[in-house]
Amino acid sequence: MAITPTFSARPRVLVVGGGYVGLYTALNLQKKIAKSGGIVTLVDPLPYMTYQPFLPEVAGGNIEARHAVVSYRKHLKATEVIQGSVTSIDHANRTAVIAPVDGAPTFELPYHDVVMAAGAITRTFPIKGLAESGIGLKTIEEAIALRNQVLSLIEQASTESDPETRKRALTFVVVGGGFAGIETIAELEDMARAAVKLNDRVDQSELRFVLVEAMGRIMPEVTESQALWVIDHLRSRGIEVLLNTSLDNAEEKNLKLINMPEKTVAQQFDADTLIWTAGVMANPMVRSTDFPLEPRGRVATNVNLQINGEFGVIENAWAAGDVAAVPDVTGGLPDGTCVPNAQHALRQAKRLSANLWASRFDKPLTGYKHKNLGAVAGFGEWKGVAKIMGIQLKGAPAWIAHRGYHGLAMPTMERKFRVIMDWFVSMLAGRDLAQLENLQAPRRTFVAAATPKPKPAAKPADAPVAAPVEMKEEAVASK
């Protein structure tokens, strides 16, 4: 396959995937590479990077959805952006196969350096009914849909007379007790209770929120005492926290929960909303490359963020973020690699871009080293938990720390400003509780208006009365 003429023929740094690593690598290198006669090319199916820590707040109505994403075109003006997917990489020949999102034929793209930044996807298990009944919270589209679904179900339940249907609509279940799951259920519970205050036909006691976690504790990123405080806090708000419990079946929105590890039935009930936040896994596209993978399916790297092969460093190949097994010299996972989170991805991207540029001039490379500064989580307005450099916070101080950290971490000044303004407006006017209908079928109203209405059926002609017929018959008989 020949290179598509519309793409640059200059020596290319190919960035596979956007996300934290892809965006910051391109931001840091685009002008330098351009001045040296090359070009940075970023390939991603989406036209924007999503700041995932804000997804619970988007779902909860505190942040406008578009403000939680960063447009590649707007902020990567010296980068060649391709909206598509890298389906395979042949690094031995320095080529990648690209599949455009519009379904156009695939094409080969040559490169000089490649940066694997494909990130992670939602990790699921073969649970019957999960694909049909569940929704994740890893994309901005899921956050928007989830917010509208919760608000719409509350509205529908307010006019529902069948008690079982009403109960199912007002039951919201989150599977996964990590940061994403805890923040999601807390934000949605806060939003739902605010919505019910405006609806006299629904009572607060009818709302049911259930958190399901297969392990014996939640939020491994904080101390055990803080995790226990979070459980008490959630239960004080009426949220059911079920530890050592797993989802076994979700067919037809009937959820069967089992006790772990004995796998006996714990509970079984109907729920219209099932949110899956039970972990992530490295993007499986890495299996279509000639790079070595470690047991978790991630690309193996050294501390300099260079991809490591059987015989040492693979030249001109780099990786970072959730798709890479980066050694963590400060601790990390049990296997000695970095935890897949935004904090590492942001910092690895800066180190990777600096090392890649240094390698062009045969300068020494610097190994990645970052001691975890802590963790922050928001649980709705003025509620949260945090551990920052060993200092433990909870309640309002933790909530302020959460917003302060993520406000600073949000990429680009333009997006920081928009998010901070959202928070300011939310503090003055409250959450935005308006649901948007028909997002899955936006043309429905127009189609109904543009479709000719059927003409009314013509009235049947009057049937002849019986008397004249009988008279005619008598007249015929008399002749």
Side-chain angles (χ1 to χ4, degrees):
M1 291 179 286
I3 183 171
T4 301
T6 54
F7 297 116
S8 174
R10 289 180 286 169
R12 174 176 285 105
V13 175
L14 178 64
V15 181
V16 182
Y20 308 105
V21 175
L23 176 68
Y24 277 99
T25 298
L27 276 172
N28 293 334
L29 287 176
Q30 57 180 354
K31 292 182 180 179
K32 295 177 180 178
I33 296 296
K35 288 180 180 179
S36 68
I39 191 167
V40 174
T41 300
L42 184 144
V43 182
D44 193 278
L46 297 173
Y48 50 77
M49 171 262 191
T50 302
Y51 190 71
Q52 293 178 355
F54 281 158
L55 292 181
E57 288 204 61
V58 171
N62 272 327
I63 295 177
E64 164 61 34
R66 282 185 174 84
H67 299 169
V69 301
V70 181
S71 167
Y72 296 136
R73 293 283 181 195
K74 182 176 179 63
H75 296 283
L76 298 178
K77 295 179 180 178
T79 294
E80 183 180 54
V81 177
I82 301 176
Q83 196 172 345
S85 299
V86 175
T87 59
S88 64
I89 290 178
D90 178 6
H91 189 67
N93 295 302
R94 301 293 197 277
T95 58
V97 176
I98 313 295
V101 292
D102 60 3
T106 60
F107 57 89
E108 284 187 350
L109 200 65
Y111 63 81
H112 181 271
D113 288 273
V114 64
V115 177
M116 297 301 297
I121 64 170
T122 300
R123 180 189 62 183
T124 60
F125 301 103
I127 299 172
K128 291 182 178 180
L130 177 60
E132 296 76 18
S133 304
I135 183 172
L137 192 64
K138 191 158 177 59
T139 68
I140 198 71
E141 293 82 5
E142 288 174 324
I144 296 169
L146 187 55
R147 173 172 174 259
N148 289 325
Q149 178 173 321
V150 172
L151 293 173
S152 293
L153 285 171
I154 292 173
E155 193 64 32
Q156 293 169 27
S158 71
T159 57
E160 178 58 57
S161 57
D162 179 63
E164 290 303 315
T165 303
R166 186 181 178 103
K167 185 177 180 180
R168 183 180 68 191
L170 297 175
T171 300
F172 308 96
V173 180
V174 174
V175 178
F179 262 61
I182 300 296
E183 289 188 306
T184 298
I185 199 167
E187 287 285 350
L188 290 179
E189 188 266 349
D190 230 19
M191 179 185 71
R193 297 206 179 279
V196 167
K197 287 180 181 179
L198 304 178
N199 195 324
D200 294 335
R201 295 190 299 270
V202 181
D203 191 79
Q204 296 283 354
S205 62
E206 295 183 90
L207 293 174
R208 184 186 183 191
F209 284 85
V210 183
L211 177 73
V212 179
E213 170 53 49
M215 305 301 290
R217 65 161 292 180
I218 61 172
M219 301 179 75
E221 298 89 346
V222 300
T223 65
E224 186 171 357
S225 62
Q226 284 182 304
L228 293 173
W229 177 85
V230 172
I231 292 174
D232 290 339
H233 169 75
L234 295 178
R235 286 174 175 166
S236 72
R237 293 165 58 171
I239 299 173
E240 301 174 39
V241 181
L242 307 179
L243 302 180
N244 297 308
T245 306
S246 180
L247 176 66
D248 182 64
N249 193 296
E251 292 178 292
E252 298 181 356
K253 298 187 177 182
N254 178 259
L255 309 188
K256 178 183 176 183
L257 307 180
I258 57 175
N259 296 306
M260 298 296 287
E262 56 268 22
K263 296 186 178 181
T264 57
V265 177
Q267 292 189 38
Q268 191 161 356
F269 54 86
D270 293 336
D272 279 336
T273 303
L274 171 62
I275 306 163
W276 182 269
T277 62
V280 296
M281 60 181 286
N283 195 318
M285 68 79 49
V286 297
R287 301 169 192 165
S288 299
T289 70
D290 50 359
F291 296 130
L293 306 180
E294 47 88 69
R296 290 174 179 260
R298 299 173 296 172
V299 179
T301 75
N302 61 16
V303 292
N304 297 329
L305 304 171
Q306 298 167 295
I307 297 179
N308 259 341
E310 182 180 357
F311 302 105
V313 171
I314 298 177
E315 296 297 326
N316 306 107
W318 311 79
D322 294 354
V323 79
V326 180
D328 189 344
V329 297
T330 66
L333 294 171
D335 62 0
T337 60
C338 293
V339 176
N341 61 24
Q343 191 176 143
H344 278 302
L346 290 169
R347 289 162 175 78
Q348 287 172 9
K350 296 176 182 178
R351 175 49 47 205
L352 185 154
S353 54
N355 281 348
L356 190 155
W357 184 245
S359 71
R360 293 289 180 93
F361 307 97
D362 294 324
K363 291 183 178 180
L365 307 185
T366 304
Y368 174 73
K369 180 179 180 181
H370 171 69
K371 185 175 182 180
N372 196 324
L373 299 177
V376 291
F379 301 153
E381 294 176 350
W382 301 104
K383 298 178 284 285
V385 68
K387 183 182 71 172
I388 305 172
M389 300 180 68
I391 301 173
Q392 300 181 27
L393 302 172
K394 59 184 179 182
W399 179 80
I400 294 171
H402 166 263
R403 289 205 161 176
Y405 172 78
H406 287 298
L408 292 173
M410 180 68 190
T412 77
M413 289 303 298
E414 176 242 349
R415 261 7 193 193
K416 292 180 198 293
F417 176 76
R418 291 183 186 273
V419 167
I420 292 171
M421 288 304 297
D422 282 345
W423 284 336
F424 180 71
V425 171
S426 179
M427 290 180 66
L428 294 179
R431 294 174 183 269
D432 190 339
L433 299 175
Q435 74 263 27
L436 301 178
E437 300 291 352
N438 297 333
L439 288 181
Q440 301 301 320
R443 296 181 62 249
R444 181 179 298 167
T445 302
F446 176 78
V447 170
T451 302
K453 303 296 184 291
K455 294 181 179 180
K459 293 183 179 180
D462 294 337
V465 295
V469 175
E470 292 175 356
M471 289 174 65
K472 185 177 181 180
E473 290 175 351
E474 290 174 0
V476 172
S478 63
K479 289 184 177 179

